[in-house]
Amino acid sequence: LDYQHVQVPFEITLWIMLASLAKIGFHLYNRLPSVVPESCLLIFVGLIMGGIIYGLNDRSPPVMDSDIFFLYLLPPIVLDAGYFMPSRPFFENIGTILLYAVVGTVWNVFGIGFSLYGICQVRAFHLQDVSLLHNLLFGSLIAAVDPVAVLAVFEEIHVNEKLHILVFGESLLNDAVTVVLYKLFRSFCEMPTIKSVDVFAGVGKFFVVGLGGVLVGLSFGFTAAFTTRFTKDIRVIEPLFVFLYSYLSYLTAEMFHLSGIVAIIACAMGMKRYVEANISLKSHTTVKYFMKMWSSVSDTLIFIFLGVSTIGENHEWNWPYICFTLIFCLVWRALGVLVLTFFVNRFHVNTITSKDQFIIAYGGLRGAICFSLVFLLPDFHRKKLFIAATTVVILFTVFVQGMTIRPLVDLLAVKRKRESAPTVGEQIHIRFLDHLLAGIEDISGHWGQYYWKDKLEYFNSKYLQKILLREYDQPKSSIVLLYEKLERKHAIELAQAGQLGHGPAHPSLLNNDRTVITDQKLEDTQNPDVLDNMQEILARNLYRIRRTGPAYNRHTLPGESEPAEHAKELLILRHKGL
Amino acid sequence: SVSHSQITRLYSRFTSLDKGENGTLSREDFQRIPELAINPLGDRIINAFFPEGEDQVNFRGFMRTLAHFRPIEDNEKSKDQNGPEPLNSRSNKLHFAFRLYDLDKDEKISRDELLQVLRMMVGVNISDEQLGSIADRTIQEADQDGDSAISFAEFVKVLEKVDVEQKMSIRFLH
C-alpha cells in the first residue's frame, strides 16, 4: 500500500468529492435549499467533518491554509462573478457601489475599531492589553462584506436587479479597501512610532491599490483578447487562454500588493466582449461551463473548510468581546447604510427605499475572507481571541442572517401588497403600462452615464475593435447579431428534431410549442374557478419586463433563464411579422 | 414645463439616436435601440412618436411625446384649473396609453384590438380560446354602457386604484 505516494492528490480529490456529493444530497430534498441556504448546510457538513477528525486524531483538524484560500479557492469565484456580471446595471450604479464599498467600509472599520477599543477599557472584561491598533486591525478584517457569502445567500432571495447589483458590487469592490487597511494597520503594528506622513501614505496607497488593480486587470484582459484573435486554427485550447490570463492577472496584482480581486474582475469585464466575438461557439460554451463548475466547487470547499476549521483549540472565548463585536458589526453597518443612502438619495431621483436599505444592511454577510485574514495575523497573545470572535461573527451572519433574510424580505413585501387581488383587466393593463414605461425609458436613454457610455463606444469602435477583433467588417447592430445567434441555435435544434425541410421553420416552431388545453370548458367566464385559472395563466405567461429578472445566477448559465426565453420568443414573433 | 438641464439631456439623446444627422428621427433610428426589440410593445411605442402619416419626427415632437411621462410635481397639482391641462396629467397619461391600444382611433378598445395587444404580451403557451376568454373577461369587467368595448372613461375607471402618476413617470435625471 503506497499511500504516501498519492497522499496529497488523493486527499484533495476526496475533499472535492465530498463537497460535490454533499451538494447532490441537498438538492435531493427539494424544499431544503429554500429554507436553509446552501452555505449553511455546507458549513454544517464541515462542522461534522471537523468533529470527526478531532475525535479520531484528538488534535485540531487542519486549519484552512490562508494561501490555499487566497491563491486557489478565491480566484475562480471572483472570476465567475466578474465574467457574468451584468455590465449595464453595474455601470449604471457604479457611483453608488463605489460609495458603499469605499466610504462604507472605511466607516465600518473605524467605527468597529474605536467602539471595541472603548469596550476594552472596561476593567471588568480583562481586555486592557488589546491596544487601539489591534482593535483597528481587527476592525479592518471583520468589516468587509464577503462576496462569496453574499452571493450564496442572495440568489435564494429574488430582489430587484438594482439592489442585487448594489450589494454584490459592493462586496466585490471593498476588497481594495480591506487590503489597504489591513496591510496598513499591520505595518503600523510593527512600527515603533506612527507619523501623520504614514497615514497619508496609507490613503495614497488605497488609490494605488485600486487603480493599479484595474490597470493590471485591463492590460491582461486586452492581451487575452488580442491572443484570441489568432486562435482560429487551434480552437481546442481557446478556453484555456481565458482562464490563464485571468489567473495571471490575479497573481500579478497580488505580487505587487495590489488588489487581486479588482484585477481579475477588470480582466474579465474587459476581455469578455472581444473574446466572445473571436472564439468559436463551442469554446464559448466550454468557458462558461468550466467557470461555473470551478466556482461552484470552490464555493462548496470554502464553506466546508470553514466548518472544519471552526472545531478545535484555536479559540479563546472572551464572551463580552465576542458579543460586542457582533453587536457593533450589525449596528455600524446599519448606521453606515442609513447615512450613505441619505446622501445617495439626495443626488438621485430614483431613491433607494427603506426596504432596500434594510436588505443592504442585513445582507452584509461576512465569510471566508475575514476568516483567512485573521489566520494571517502575526502571532501575538490575543490572536486566539480574534479568531474566536471572527468565527462567531461569520457563523452568526451566515446562519442567522442567511436563514432569516428570506422570510424577512417576504414579510416586508407582503406589507406593501394591495388589500384585494387585482382583477384580470387590471393585471393586463398594469403589465401593459410596465412594458410601455420600460420602452419609454429605453428611448429616452434613462441612465445618466450615457455620455461616458457613448464616448467609450466611440473609442471602442474606432480603435479597440480593429486591434482586438479578428474580422472587423461592417459593425452589425446588436439586434442583428442577437438574431443571427438565435437563428443558428434554432436551426440546429430544428435539424436535430428532424423538422428542417418540412416547411417554414418558424411557424412550425411556434405551433409545436403551443399547448392547447382541450379539457377545459371556457364558455362560462363567470365561473370563479375559471377566473382563478385565468389569473394564474396570466401570472405565469405574461412577459415580464426585463428589469425584474435576476441578472446573475450562480447555478444557471445566462440565456437559460426565463426572461431570456421570453426574449427569444419575442424576437421570433417579430421575425414572423417583419 | 421642462427644466433647462432636462432639455439639454434629451437633446443629446436625440442627436445620439439620429444617426443620419438630419435633425429628425426615423423609425429605423428607434429600432436600433436593442432593448426595444425585445419589448412586446416596441413597435407601438415607436409609432406613438410619429404624428399621423409621417415618417420623421423632429426634436419638438420627440420632447412632446416624452413630456407625457414627466413626474407630476406637487406644486403643479394645485395650479390654476383654468389653464390647459398639462401633458403629464393623470388623464393625459392614461389617454396616451389608451391610444396605444386603440389603433383605429375610434376612442374605443374593441375585442379585436384587445386580443392583438394580449397576444403580443403573453407567451406562446396560451391558446387562442384561452386568450379569447381572457379578453372577454376583461371587457366584461370594464364595460358599463354595454357596447362590448372599453371606452376611455371605462379604461380610466379600471385603473382608478392604480398609482398611474408614479407608474407612468420616468425620472429624467438619474
Side-chain angles (χ1 to χ4, degrees):
Chain A
L1 203 59
D2 196 3
Y3 187 58
Q4 297 298 82
H5 186 61
V6 295
Q7 181 178 13
V8 173
F10 198 78
E11 285 184 353
I12 294 176
T13 315
L14 275 183
W15 277 111
I16 300 181
M17 181 71 89
L18 170 72
S20 317
L21 287 174
K23 261 196 139 116
I24 298 182
F26 301 147
H27 286 280
L28 280 179
Y29 302 105
N30 278 336
R31 288 194 51 92
L32 201 54
S34 59
V35 174
V36 184
E38 233 179 65
S39 40
C40 301
L41 294 169
L42 289 170
I43 295 187
F44 196 61
V45 169
L47 283 171
I48 297 177
M49 284 297 303
I52 295 176
I53 297 181
Y54 190 62
L56 287 178
N57 289 349
D58 206 27
R59 57 180 174 84
S60 304
V63 166
M64 176 160 64
D65 191 356
S66 296
D67 273 343
I68 294 183
F69 174 70
F70 279 114
L71 290 180
Y72 300 114
L73 291 179
L74 188 60
I77 298 180
V78 187
L79 176 61
D80 177 40
Y83 196 81
F84 291 110
M85 170 94 75
S87 45
R88 185 185 52 82
F90 183 71
F91 286 111
E92 260 180 58
N93 295 300
I94 187 91
T96 323
I97 293 178
L98 279 175
L99 192 69
Y100 279 122
V102 176
V103 177
T105 313
V106 169
W107 167 282
N108 275 330
V109 167
F110 283 104
I112 295 176
F114 279 113
S115 3
L116 280 176
Y117 181 60
I119 293 296
C120 288
Q121 302 310 308
V122 177
R123 266 173 222 288
F125 296 149
H126 309 290
L127 287 168
Q128 263 138 337
D129 51 341
V130 188
S131 69
L132 174 64
L133 211 47
H134 285 141
N135 277 310
L136 283 175
L137 182 57
F138 181 62
S140 74
L141 62 89
I142 199 85
V145 174
D146 185 80
V148 179
V150 165
L151 265 179
V153 165
F154 261 70
E155 58 181 26
E156 321 262 348
I157 58 176
H158 297 297
V159 294
N160 63 63
E161 185 185 67
K162 178 175 180 177
L163 192 56
H164 192 232
I165 203 79
L166 274 180
V167 185
F168 182 30
E170 181 208 343
S171 67
L172 282 176
L173 292 183
N174 66 14
D175 177 61
V177 183
T178 310
V179 161
V180 169
L181 285 174
Y182 180 75
K183 294 200 168 131
L184 194 70
F185 287 129
R186 201 159 138 191
S187 57
F188 280 177
C189 278
E190 276 140 38
M191 290 196 313
T193 54
I194 303 164
K195 304 177 232 89
S196 50
V197 179
D198 298 322
V199 177
F200 282 121
V203 171
K205 204 155 181 254
F206 159 68
F207 286 104
V208 170
V209 162
L211 293 173
V214 172
L215 274 174
V216 167
L218 281 180
S219 39
F220 273 101
F222 288 141
T223 318
F226 188 64
T227 315
T228 53
R229 190 176 167 186
F230 303 108
T231 55
K232 193 164 173 206
D233 299 317
I234 30 162
R235 295 280 188 190
V236 240
I237 61 170
E238 271 177 340
L240 203 54
F241 285 115
V242 173
F243 295 109
L244 288 177
Y245 276 105
S246 321
Y247 196 43
L248 270 179
S249 73
Y250 181 80
L251 294 174
T252 314
E254 288 290 323
M255 183 169 71
F256 288 115
H257 298 291
L258 305 171
S259 167
I261 292 186
V262 173
I264 207 172
I265 293 175
C267 180
M269 290 179 98
M271 77 171 154
K272 180 174 177 179
R273 201 164 159 182
Y274 307 104
V275 159
E276 289 195 350
N278 280 340
I279 63 180
S280 72
L281 216 54
K282 283 193 191 154
S283 304
H284 189 215
T285 315
T286 312
V287 165
K288 287 202 269 194
Y289 265 106
F290 261 91
M291 246 186 232
K292 287 290 176 193
M293 184 185 83
W294 262 321
S295 72
S296 226
V297 168
S298 267
D299 178 73
T300 320
L301 277 176
I302 288 177
F303 283 115
I304 290 192
F305 277 142
L306 249 174
V308 170
S309 308
T310 314
I311 311 277
E313 284 145 18
N314 286 322
H315 308 289
E316 181 194 326
W317 300 99
N318 183 315
W319 286 105
Y321 194 77
I322 294 176
C323 291
F324 275 109
T325 308
L326 194 55
I327 296 176
F328 286 136
C329 279
L330 294 172
V331 165
W332 281 105
R333 175 141 181 103
L335 280 177
V337 169
L338 271 172
V339 172
L340 284 177
T341 317
F342 176 70
F343 280 113
V344 166
N345 283 343
R346 293 268 294 273
F347 292 111
H348 293 166
V349 185
N350 252 337
T351 55
I352 298 177
T353 66
S354 37
K355 175 187 166 189
D356 290 344
Q357 287 175 39
F358 172 76
I359 294 183
I360 296 177
Y362 203 66
L365 302 174
R366 273 68 169 178
I369 290 188
C370 325
F371 199 66
S372 314
L373 283 176
V374 83
F375 276 102
L376 275 177
L377 281 176
D379 271 317
F380 63 103
H381 61 289
R382 284 295 189 165
K383 184 172 171 181
K384 290 194 173 173
L385 173 65
F386 288 162
I387 294 178
T390 314
T391 313
V392 171
V393 170
I394 295 177
L395 287 178
F396 182 85
T397 55
V398 172
F399 275 96
V400 175
Q401 284 179 248
M403 281 205 272
T404 55
I405 196 169
R406 211 224 189 150
L408 279 170
V409 167
D410 288 338
L411 196 68
L412 287 173
V414 164
K415 277 193 185 149
R416 307 282 169 86
K417 273 208 184 122
R418 320 151 41 102
E419 306 314 320
S420 58
T423 65
V424 171
E426 270 182 325
Q427 247 186 315
I428 295 177
H429 295 314
I430 290 175
R431 186 54 55 88
F432 180 83
L433 290 180
D434 284 337
H435 281 303
L436 170 59
L437 200 65
I440 293 285
E441 279 182 355
D442 291 324
I443 290 177
S444 70
H446 185 205
W447 36 99
Q449 286 89 2
Y450 200 74
Y451 175 71
W452 292 109
K453 192 176 180 204
D454 245 1
K455 285 268 182 218
L456 211 60
E457 280 302 316
Y458 179 74
F459 178 66
N460 176 43
S461 50
K462 269 240 150 171
Y463 303 109
L464 288 179
Q465 277 186 338
K466 291 193 180 135
I467 306 174
L468 299 176
L469 286 186
R470 184 176 308 133
E471 302 140 353
Y472 182 66
D473 334 298
Q474 192 65 273
K476 302 176 194 160
S477 78
S478 45
I479 303 179
V480 177
L481 282 172
L482 178 59
Y483 178 69
E484 279 179 341
K485 235 194 236 180
L486 289 176
E487 281 275 76
R488 261 196 310 245
K489 187 166 179 205
H490 279 287
I492 293 173
E493 283 173 9
L494 286 176
Q496 285 172 343
Q499 282 177 341
L500 215 49
H502 287 291
H506 291 118
S508 65
L509 177 73
L510 281 180
N511 286 334
N512 280 337
D513 282 344
R514 213 170 269 186
T515 52
V516 180
I517 299 181
T518 51
D519 56 3
Q520 273 204 332
K521 300 211 158 74
L522 299 170
E523 51 214 352
D524 190 8
T525 59
Q526 298 271 24
N527 191 343
D529 291 332
V530 175
L531 177 61
D532 285 337
N533 197 31
M534 250 187 235
Q535 298 208 318
E536 199 190 286
I537 291 176
L538 275 179
R540 257 186 300 131
N541 281 289
L542 278 172
Y543 288 130
R544 280 188 277 159
I545 47 175
R546 64 191 157 74
R547 287 185 185 195
T548 58
Y552 173 77
N553 192 315
R554 169 59 65 77
H555 299 300
T556 60
L557 288 181
E560 283 177 359
S561 54
E562 205 186 57
E565 293 295 324
H566 282 169
K568 275 184 214 162
E569 285 175 3
L570 274 163
L571 277 171
I572 294 172
L573 282 168
R574 280 179 69 89
H575 168 78
K576 259 182 73 180
L578 275 173
Chain B
S1 53
V2 191
S3 81
H4 182 69
S5 54
Q6 288 173 348
I7 299 182
T8 326
R9 249 205 25 56
L10 282 179
Y11 188 69
S12 69
R13 173 63 170 168
F14 182 84
T15 40
S16 69
L17 283 175
D18 181 15
K19 297 285 192 271
E21 285 173 22
N22 51 0
T24 60
L25 294 178
S26 66
R27 285 199 169 73
E28 286 75 35
D29 289 321
F30 281 102
Q31 280 160 357
R32 225 175 271 120
I33 303 172
E35 286 88 357
L36 274 186
I38 54 173
N39 189 316
L41 304 176
D43 287 324
R44 295 212 177 187
I45 300 175
I46 296 176
N47 273 332
F49 278 85
F50 293 88
E52 190 66 50
E54 298 202 6
D55 287 329
Q56 303 283 334
V57 59
N58 58 14
F59 181 60
R60 197 184 163 78
F62 183 72
M63 256 197 40
R64 202 185 142 77
T65 314
L66 287 180
H68 283 97
F69 294 91
R70 213 161 55 82
I72 299 180
E73 316 283 330
D74 283 323
N75 57 2
E76 284 179 352
K77 281 186 188 155
S78 48
K79 250 193 192 154
D80 72 305
Q81 305 294 328
N82 297 329
E85 212 180 339
L87 277 178
N88 63 341
S89 70
R90 184 192 165 92
S91 170
N92 275 327
K93 285 183 200 284
L94 283 171
H95 204 236
F96 186 87
F98 187 80
R99 285 198 296 265
L100 286 187
Y101 272 107
D102 180 25
L103 285 184
D104 57 6
K105 304 216 191 314
D106 60 355
E107 294 296 314
K108 283 193 201 307
I109 304 176
S110 67
R111 184 176 186 271
D112 280 330
E113 287 168 341
L114 188 58
L115 263 180
Q116 274 181 37
V117 171
L118 269 177
R119 178 43 76 191
M120 290 191 307
M121 290 208 298
V122 303
V124 295
N125 287 330
I126 299 195
S127 70
D128 286 331
E129 291 109 52
Q130 285 177 302
L131 217 57
S133 50
I134 293 177
D136 287 328
R137 174 83 200 177
T138 312
I139 295 183
Q140 194 183 39
E141 282 169 359
D143 195 15
Q144 285 164 343
D145 56 10
D147 57 355
S148 297
I150 307 179
S151 71
F152 180 59
E154 289 159 0
F155 184 68
V156 169
K157 183 114 186 17
V158 171
L159 290 175
E160 65 183 352
K161 286 198 215 131
V162 175
D163 186 3
V164 170
E165 288 92 333
Q166 210 253 341
K167 231 178 189 357
M168 283 187 74
S169 301
I170 62 173
R171 316 291 178 175
F172 280 103
L173 295 176
H174 184 62

